[in-house]
């Protein structure tokens, strides 16, 4: 989580310097949700996620160098510089995006789960999306099918309380969704998205159920983003107050875990300082690597992309 945090702080810096173009959505504040959830997976399980994907890619084990190079739009990026911030992919890690259309990837993830079942595998698919995606028809269609066909998929709603600058508090809308989930014959759980161990527990149980019984599950992680919606949105902006933000920053997932670990005697100040220095070095290395990587050549625009569909 610390690596994710420091990495994205460098992303913000690189964006300000014009090294990253296009959209750039930071995950700062939400690290416990992705980290706790992804920690429960096997390497052959699948992840399909939204445009807010850098930290989850790190949690999955994609090299920070390949992620930063992708953000810089360079050839050594994990999507060969053609995807950018919102479209991180790694076939090797079964990390199938990074998608820009709100809710658009939910049917894709459901298709992955269908394919797993069709082939008789015991993998699962973990699908992340924001709470605003539940207003999208694709969400309802996909959950209906997953419930009907009993697919091995775990849907994780990252309820960070805001959907691109709107001031809507969506807790009640999400509760309506809980009712829907029942209609789709799907179990639902709510978890504190700032508590990495709680997320790991709840998602871990769901993964186990999906793997052994091929049952889908809908999990709502209550979280909060500490930065703006994207780099073009101010940190507190017009739709939330600084006081509200400050209140949530008190439940910074990294601070919470640090306090727990220090209380248990699992890490001390010197250990933390070392960890911080180590992750900063990884981020600096990623930046230098990305900066030195060439832009994709013009011919790459017309390159065929060969996708291995056999495994
Ligand atoms: C179908 C669609 N409609 C609108 C947009 C524009 N848009 C981009 S992000 C966003 C808000 C999504 O909020 P949420 O799902 O809560 O995710 P968060 O950004 O909070 O992580 C919107 C409306 C889009 N990308 N796709
Ligand atoms: Mg949101």
């Amino acid at each position: 989580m610390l690596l994710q945090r420091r990495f994205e702080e460098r992303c913000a810096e690189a964006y300000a310097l014009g090294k990253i173009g296009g959209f750039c959505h930071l995950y700062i504040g939400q690290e416990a949700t992705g980290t706790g959830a992804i920690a429960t997976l096997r390497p052959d399980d699948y992840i399909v996620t939204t445009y807010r994907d850098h930290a989850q890619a790190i949690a999955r084990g994609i090299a920070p160098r390949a992620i930063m190079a992708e953000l810089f739009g360079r050839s050594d990026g994990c999507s060969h510089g053609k995807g950018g911030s919102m479209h991180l992919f790694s076939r090797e890690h079964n990390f199938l995006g990074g998608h820009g259309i709100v809710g658009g990837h939910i049917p894709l993830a459901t298709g992955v789960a269908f394919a797993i079942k069709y082939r008789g595998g015991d993998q699962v698919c973990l699908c992340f999306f924001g709470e605003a995606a539940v207003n999208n028809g694709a969400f309802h269609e996909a959950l209906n099918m997953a419930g009907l066909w009993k697919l091995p998929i775990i849907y994780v709603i990252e309820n960070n309380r805001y959907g691109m600058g709107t001031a809507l508090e969506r807790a009640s809308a999400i509760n309506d969704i809980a009712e829907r989930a029942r209609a789709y014959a799907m179990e639902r759980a709510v978890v504190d998205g700032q508590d990495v161990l709680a997320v790991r527990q709840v998602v871990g149980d769901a993964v186990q159920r999906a793997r052994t019984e091929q049952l889908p599950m809908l999990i709502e992680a209550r979280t909060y983003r500490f930065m703006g919606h994207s780099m073009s949105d101010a940190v507190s902006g017009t739709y939330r107050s600084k006081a509200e933000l400050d209140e949530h920053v008190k439940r910074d997932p990294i601070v919470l875990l640090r306090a727990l670990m220090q209380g248990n005697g699992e890490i001390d100040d010197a250990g933390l300082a070392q960890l911080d220095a180590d992750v900063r070095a990884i981020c600096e290395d990623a930046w230098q690597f990305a900066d030195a990587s060439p832009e994709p050549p013009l011919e790459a625009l017309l390159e065929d992309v060969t996708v291995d569909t056999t495994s």
Side-chain angles (χ1 to χ4, degrees):
M1 289 199 290
L2 199 56
L3 174 59
Q4 295 163 22
R5 179 70 57 91
R6 297 289 172 257
F7 184 91
E8 287 207 313
E9 286 165 359
R10 296 305 305 270
C11 293
E13 189 186 333
Y15 197 89
L17 291 173
K19 292 196 177 286
I20 298 174
F23 287 105
C24 183
H25 307 81
L26 303 182
Y27 197 63
I28 290 178
Q30 300 183 212
E31 293 93 342
T33 298
T35 305
I38 291 169
T40 68
L41 297 185
R42 289 193 324 219
D44 61 339
D45 291 329
Y46 293 86
I47 298 171
V48 188
T49 191
T50 71
Y51 44 83
R52 206 177 289 287
D53 57 353
H54 319 150
Q56 293 175 350
I58 290 176
R60 184 53 164 172
I62 302 177
R65 280 182 166 195
I67 301 170
M68 195 63 95
E70 190 57 43
L71 287 160
F72 280 34
R74 306 298 175 89
S75 291
D76 296 301
C78 57
S79 304
H80 306 293
K82 294 176 178 173
S85 161
M86 299 200 291
H87 307 107
L88 302 177
F89 274 74
S90 171
R91 178 67 186 85
E92 182 195 340
H93 297 87
N94 283 356
F95 192 92
L96 308 184
H99 296 267
I101 306 299
V102 171
H105 65 293
I106 304 175
L108 300 181
T110 307
V112 169
F114 180 85
I116 292 170
K117 185 161 181 172
Y118 186 73
R119 290 169 170 170
D122 73 340
Q123 303 104 305
V124 303
C125 182
L126 188 57
C127 176
F128 294 97
F129 46 92
E131 79 291 350
V134 304
N135 295 325
N136 190 313
F139 165 82
H140 299 278
E141 292 173 28
L143 263 76
N144 195 20
M145 287 182 185
L148 197 61
W149 293 336
K150 299 195 179 354
L151 301 182
I153 183 161
I154 299 97
Y155 300 101
V156 178
I157 303 176
E158 299 202 62
N159 185 0
N160 62 8
R161 297 184 47 187
Y162 292 100
M164 191 151 90
T166 62
L168 278 184
E169 167 56 82
R170 285 199 171 74
S172 59
I174 295 277
N175 286 334
D176 295 345
I177 292 307
E179 295 306 316
R180 280 310 166 83
R182 272 190 275 279
Y184 301 145
M186 199 174 298
E187 293 288 325
R188 176 208 186 228
V190 179
V191 64
D192 176 0
Q194 304 308 87
D195 180 344
V196 67
L197 300 181
V199 174
R200 190 179 62 174
Q201 183 67 50
V202 170
V203 177
D205 289 348
V207 164
Q208 191 58 19
R209 230 168 68 98
R211 203 183 297 294
T212 56
E213 299 172 55
Q214 300 223 300
L215 288 177
M217 178 120 183
L218 178 67
I219 296 171
E220 178 193 347
R222 298 231 165 116
T223 182
Y224 197 82
R225 66 168 158 72
F226 295 169
M227 308 299 282
H229 167 76
S230 69
M231 288 306 298
S232 53
D233 180 30
V235 171
S236 55
T238 52
Y239 54 85
R240 63 179 180 182
S241 65
K242 176 138 187 339
E244 179 190 305
L245 180 64
D246 291 347
E247 202 48 39
H248 282 279
V249 169
K250 288 181 191 159
R251 298 203 71 245
D252 181 327
I254 296 175
V255 173
L256 294 183
L257 182 63
R258 187 176 67 197
L260 182 77
M261 291 180 75
Q262 282 188 310
N264 289 343
E266 288 163 333
I267 197 159
D268 58 14
D269 286 345
L272 278 166
Q274 186 60 51
L275 196 59
D276 197 51
D278 291 349
V279 298
R280 282 178 194 275
I282 293 170
C283 297
E284 176 59 22
D285 172 74
W287 177 303
Q288 294 304 335
F289 175 83
D291 219 15
S293 174
E295 288 187 350
L298 206 51
E299 311 83 71
L301 279 173
L302 302 175
E303 255 171 24
D304 279 346
V305 178
T306 308
V307 180
D308 174 12
T309 55
T310 55
S311 58

